[in-house]
């Protein structure tokens, strides 16, 4: 896992915690929404850094 992926994971965790605290995410929707939020955050970080596309080949979620 590279530094960009670690940053995206940390930001995603913080976003998801806030959503849980405000009852926007339930345990039933957590698995689906976590992946969607992670991909969105990762894509944003990569686009800002100019290091690739949101759906790049090295995206760990793309393989699953």
């Amino acid at each position: 896992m590279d530094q960009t992926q670690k940053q995206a994971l940390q930001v995603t965790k913080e976003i998801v915690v806030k959503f849980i605290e405000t009852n926007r995410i339930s345990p039933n929707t957590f698995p689906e929404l976590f992946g969607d939020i992670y991909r969105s955050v990762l894509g944003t970080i990569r686009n800002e850094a100019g290091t690739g596309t949101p759906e790049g080949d090295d995206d760990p979620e793309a393989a699953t």
Side-chain angles (χ1 to χ4, degrees), residues 7-19 34 37:
Q7 288 175 337
L9 186 59
Q10 182 62 38
V11 170
T12 302
K13 287 178 186 177
E14 293 173 17
I15 291 170
V16 169
V17 166
K18 291 296 181 187
F19 282 169
F34 188 88
I37 294 168

Side-chain angles (χ1 to χ4, degrees), residues 15-30 33-34 37:
I15 291 170
V16 169
V17 166
K18 291 296 181 187
F19 282 169
I20 290 171
E21 290 174 348
T22 60
N23 295 319
R24 302 263 183 194
I25 292 179
S26 71
N28 293 336
T29 59
F30 173 81
L33 293 176
F34 188 88
I37 294 168

Side-chain angles (χ1 to χ4, degrees), residues 24-54:
R24 302 263 183 194
I25 292 179
S26 71
N28 293 336
T29 59
F30 173 81
E32 176 185 329
L33 293 176
F34 188 88
D36 291 343
I37 294 168
Y38 173 77
R39 283 186 292 277
S40 180
V41 169
L42 182 61
T44 300
I45 291 171
R46 286 183 174 166
N47 285 338
E48 288 293 321
T51 59
T53 61

